Amino acid sequence: QVRDRLKQQVAEMTEKFPGFRPGLAILQVGNRDDSNLYINMKLKAAAEIGISANHIKLPNTATEADVLKCIASLNADPAVHGFIVQLPLDSDKPINTEKITNAVAPEKDVDGLSSINAGKLSRGDLGDCFIPCTPKGCMELIRQTGVQVAGKRAVVIGRSKIVGAPMHDLLLWNNATVTTCHSKTSTLAEEVGKADILVVAAGRAEMVKGEWIKPGAIVIDCGINHVPDSTKASGKRVVGDVAYTSAKEKASFITPVPGGVGPMTVAMLMQSTVESAQRFLKKFQPGKWTVQYNQLTLKMPVPSDIEISQSCIPKPIDQVAKEVGLFPDELELYGQTKAKVQLSVLNRLKNQPDGKYVVVTGITPTPLGEGKSTTTVGLVQALGAHLHQNVFACVRQPSQGPTFGIKGGAAGGGYCQVVPMEEFNLHLTGDIHAITAANNLVAAAIDARIFHELTQSDQALYNRLVPSVNGVRKFSDIQIRRLQKLGINKTDPMALTKEEVNSFVRLDIDPGTITWQRVLDTNDRFLRKITIGQSPTEKGFTRTAQFDITVSSEIMAVLALADGLDDMKKRFGRMVVASSKNGQPVTADDLGVTGALAVLMKDAVKPNLMQTLEGTPVFVHAGPFANIAHGNSSVLADKIALKLVGKDGFVVTEAGFGADIGMEKFFNIKCRYSGLRPHVVVLVATVRALKMHGGGPAVTAGVPLPKEYTEENLQLVAKGCSNLNKQIQNARMFGVPVVVAVNAFKTDTKAELALVVQHAKEAGAFDAVECTHWAEGGKGALALAQAVQRASQAPSNFRFLYNVELPVVDKIRLIAQQVYGARDIELLPEAQEKVALYTKQGFGNLPICMAKTHLSLSHDPEQKGAPTGFVLPIRDIRASVGAGFLYPLVGTMSTMPGLPTRPCFYDIDLDPVSGGVNGLF
């Protein structure tokens, strides 16, 4: 009956939580025959019920440390809901059994042998502990008789920690009057004769005689003893602690031996495992969060970002992880406030439905930015801390170059920040440094390969690439791939012809076609154009090269678009770094560096967990440029977050620059590769930017705003709404509802804000709301959060703008005409050549990633509003084949980052007392 009931419960759990099974681990030390027999019984019962059972067997040479290490691993394994240590421990080494049983996590101690569980049982906390399986089985047998335990006299013979002592406690807390007897009890027969319920666990064959037993008593015999019996093949038979033949004449109920308590003990182990799994699901139910939010203490005027950030005491990051349903073994801590999350969480939650997917974008901005990051954080704080929804923010990691060189930090601002902002803006967990190392490894490999091919014969190169080790040559896996690419289907290095050796060893890179540059995460203007190879050891091989900023590396774009370590490695292998002199693409795989890149990036592929000022969770992962790359945080962070929030939760991510750039690439590139479909677009608009688009004076960073921006001017706002209207149309073109967030500044008037809201609704926005989150935190974005909730319930008929099978020119033209408002495009000669080259090389079916100014819908940053009728000039086209897109260079668009506009003087330092960061970002 118990097994059937448990089988049904497991089936119900599996149906409700697809892919879930209760997990039982059995740890055995040594190879005792009796232990093997008992374990096989348990494994068989688990299989019958549907429990996933794992038998871990350590040799009899295992030390106490070995056993404790194994227990620690099982304690941390979320797939194990219960585990037992099979006793006795059969080891040649001294092992403290008490220490071993107490090392088992109490919440997994389904044997109930740890001191914590024993203590809870002793205190009567029966609903908050595990009870040893034999006493638990005995109680179940007693219940099956229908006899009420309360008020009865019970006698327990034996006081072991496994049966006697817990049996006494269990009967006592079920309101029986209990007497414990043992080997030193002088009046044993007399005590037995008083018992309405008798439980015997003395370990002595047929010690209790039938004549001792009170007529009508319930007798539970837990003994297993062997006595001589010449009639048996083994020469012995199994008997209990009670003389069964005579006792059964007096007892109303009696358990046989064997076949009585033993099977019930196994059944109770299974029941405790199922109960543990049920507790686990209740505690860690996917999508069911219990979050402790931080209360903001708002100040006016609003202090600096760093002051606000440092006034907040973040929760320990492992607490944040626990609140959102991450397990300890899925977390890699980097101090108290940041951690990496293992990709294994995706496999654990693969059967869980995704939450609602929201992308934050903006109208065409001023050079000052319009607050997309601030709005992203404000929105998640409102949804989480104020509306108590499961919500995750997924944002890009900022580059250290602009942090020190141009614009300062990128953690949001005011009372809407990712904290600690100094950790967020600087090294974080080292992902950008890993990209720097990986990128420059490729750059070094390119020049080293050219140098060696110029200075060595085919055979000398072959000897170095495929060296003889102990007289044996062997191709590596990556070399086999290169041979297959060349059409050489041989695996024996000695079998290649001279022509095949020549093809294998010579990439024959054309230096003039090298597109791979070295990178550094600092804005260093004097490295923008350099000459390399000037050392005498390079034998006169020099060429002009350059340093780009790290976040512009294709490796960053690959990190952002990969959906796992294997996919990232494949994308690395496809990265094209140059062409050969006969026009063939040369890849990272051809260079033989793919595996090395994967090793350098194996930790960077894991998203970074942080939190907002109000305690909502944030993934910070990847930071590709929004011009030569797609400008969005990682696919992996979004996918993990969507599983963690559950079907009713929200994931809010941000797309770089305006909707014509970041949002278009989010849809056509990121969503195409991820397979994810957005539910809502949040379009950030400001009165300041709309006045600029309406014909207001130029807005320049570091220069006070002209009076047109600080005084009410409804005419400028209304005229500038042409840009807002166009960006709303751009979002709706993809079939997704649009909510406009009007980010209010203190210089805006009520009339101006109301006018923007009115225009947005008339232009087709699902809703438009005024937001004051910069000054008020999540409270100031409450109306926005409610509008996003409503919009997420509206139909979302997402569609791509173009089919990737279209010719390259047609895809570029569609983006220019439909998104930017251009009349047509013009491909300059270099761009025309690249179209032909990439089509010939097989890259024509890649999506398009336009590298265009973010300060205008057109190619001219001075053209504001919503210009039309212009011809979009395409100067050149380049390929990020590993990331998976072609990027046309529009007009005079540079691929290099902006430069500092003044000498370096950093108002930032370490606090001499706390050791923290003082100063401004």
Side-chain angles (χ1 to χ4, degrees), residues 795-813:
S796 177
N797 303 307
F798 176 71
R799 55 189 171 270
F800 298 120
L801 178 63
Y802 55 81
N803 187 323
V804 289
E805 303 295 326
L806 288 173
V808 172
V809 174
D810 290 354
K811 288 181 284 193
I812 296 172
R813 182 177 287 111

Side-chain angles (χ1 to χ4, degrees), residues 624-695:
F625 265 17
N627 49 23
I628 63 170
H630 63 293
N632 287 267
S633 59
S634 79
V635 165
L636 280 168
D638 291 0
K639 284 189 170 184
I640 293 173
L642 284 164
K643 293 297 183 187
L644 288 170
V645 298
K647 66 182 180 68
D648 297 320
F650 292 84
V651 170
V652 182
T653 190
E654 177 191 345
F657 293 153
D660 55 307
I661 300 178
M663 182 195 72
E664 181 270 317
K665 295 174 183 180
F666 171 82
F667 289 146
N668 282 322
I669 298 175
K670 185 177 182 180
C671 290
R672 195 185 298 271
Y673 281 122
S674 70
L676 300 174
R677 297 296 178 260
H679 293 81
V680 184
V681 170
V682 172
L683 185 68
V684 180
T686 63
V687 168
R688 177 180 68 193
L690 292 173
K691 285 181 174 179
M692 178 192 72
H693 288 296

